[in-house]
């Protein structure tokens, strides 16, 4: 039996008043933690990076700061792009901007790149799977989009283009910049695997982790 997903569009205050707050906050932080760990897994797998991570690594190669802090810094740069798009942040938006980069940085200190190919492949595949679960968990908490997701939806609304086209264009753009800054070694089978699987994985898992809100005061999006 197929489950229907209803994601509501609420302002920051309405998000906090919509019920089940403790559960939603716990799920938000669990999802963001999984997402940060998944980024570190793909970096250590070293078989190709997700487009945004290629950009993060490309910037890291030119700045005297760690990968984790580049993720945090770029999140806030992206949030500045929300202003002309009139996107509305939530608690989850700020938590996303900070938590993922901090967790990724800590996880990179623990994880090492395996010498054997199968170990690197396991980290890469596991990273994609964990990212899909983390994405579904934090989106399902319904506490606001992440900076990069909000940029995508804002551009879609302003341009009138399809969400798929906007996402594809954004990811091609950031991947191209990342490869220019960090080299084509950042592109590989992991990049392709992420591009093909992350959307379907998140969509498949979201109905099982979505937390329905008590106060639905906005138009719902049916997926």
């Amino acid at each position: 039996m197929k489950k229907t997903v209803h994601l509501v569009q609420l302002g920051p205050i309405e998000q906090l008043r919509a019920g089940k707050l403790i559960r939603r906050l716990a799920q938000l932080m669990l999802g963001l933690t999984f997402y940060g760990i998944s980024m570190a897994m793909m970096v250590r797998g070293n078989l190709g990076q997700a487009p945004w991570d290629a950009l993060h690594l490309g910037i890291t190669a030119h700045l005297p700061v760690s990968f984790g802090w580049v993720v945090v810094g770029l999140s806030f740069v992206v949030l500045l792009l929300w202003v002309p798009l009139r996107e509305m942040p939530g608690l989850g938006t700020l938590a996303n901007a900070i938590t993922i980069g901090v967790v990724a940085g800590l996880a990179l200190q623990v994880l090492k790149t395996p010498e054997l190919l199968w170990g690197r492949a396991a980290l890469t595949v596991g990273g994609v799977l964990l990212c899909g679960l983390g994405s579904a968990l934090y989106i399902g908490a319904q506490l606001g989009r992440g900076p990069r997701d909000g940029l995508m939806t804002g551009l879609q609304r302003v341009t009138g283009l399809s969400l798929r086209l906007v996402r594809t264009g954004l990811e091609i753009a950031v991947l191209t910049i990342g490869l220019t800054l960090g080299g084509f070694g950042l592109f590989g089978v992991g990049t392709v695997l992420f591009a093909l699987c992350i959307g379907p994985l998140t969509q498949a898992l979201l109905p099982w982790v979505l937390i329905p809100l008590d106060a639905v005061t906005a138009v719902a999006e049916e997926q």
Side-chain angles (χ1 to χ4, degrees):
M1 180 178 175
K2 184 178 179 180
K3 291 192 174 188
T4 301
V5 173
H6 292 287
L7 295 174
V8 297
Q9 303 298 322
L10 300 174
I13 303 302
E14 288 78 11
Q15 289 171 9
L16 298 178
R17 292 176 175 173
K20 305 181 180 72
L21 183 59
I22 300 301
R23 177 186 170 191
R24 290 163 62 213
L25 286 172
Q27 180 169 311
L28 170 71
M29 296 311 297
L30 181 63
L32 295 178
T33 298
F34 283 170
Y35 200 117
I37 294 172
S38 76
M39 292 171 68
M41 290 172 69
M42 289 197 67
V43 170
R44 292 305 188 210
N46 198 27
L47 290 176
Q49 305 303 318
W52 281 99
D53 289 343
L55 178 57
H56 298 145
L57 287 168
I59 294 173
T60 302
H62 295 273
L63 294 177
V65 292
S66 69
F67 175 85
W69 287 114
V70 167
V71 175
V72 173
L74 189 59
S75 294
F76 283 97
V77 171
V78 171
L79 280 176
L80 292 177
L81 300 177
W82 282 32
V83 176
L85 299 175
R86 297 184 179 178
E87 282 291 290
M88 184 175 295
L91 178 61
T93 307
L94 297 178
N96 184 302
I98 297 171
T99 305
I100 289 178
V102 171
V103 171
L106 293 174
L108 282 172
Q109 294 180 28
V110 176
L111 295 174
K112 304 300 180 185
T113 300
E115 294 182 4
L116 299 178
L117 180 60
W118 70 264
R120 293 165 59 197
L123 277 180
T124 299
V125 173
V128 173
L129 294 175
L130 191 61
C131 185
L133 176 58
S135 297
L137 285 168
Y138 101 72
I139 292 171
Q142 304 210 64
L143 282 165
R145 299 183 181 91
R148 294 153 186 80
D149 293 333
L151 177 61
M152 174 183 64
T153 56
L155 286 172
Q156 186 272 333
R157 190 186 67 254
V158 170
T159 63
L161 300 173
S162 71
L163 201 59
R164 179 180 301 177
L165 183 59
V166 171
R167 174 166 185 166
T168 300
L170 262 178
E171 300 217 342
I172 289 175
V174 298
L175 178 61
T176 301
I177 297 171
L179 296 180
T180 301
L181 293 173
F184 283 89
L186 298 176
F187 182 87
V189 64
T191 310
V192 177
L193 186 66
F194 185 93
L196 293 177
C197 296
I198 196 63
L201 272 173
T202 303
Q203 183 172 335
L205 293 170
L206 185 57
W208 302 98
V209 298
L210 179 72
I211 301 176
L213 301 184
D214 295 336
V216 180
T217 59
V219 178
E221 293 180 352
E222 182 172 344
Q223 294 187 348

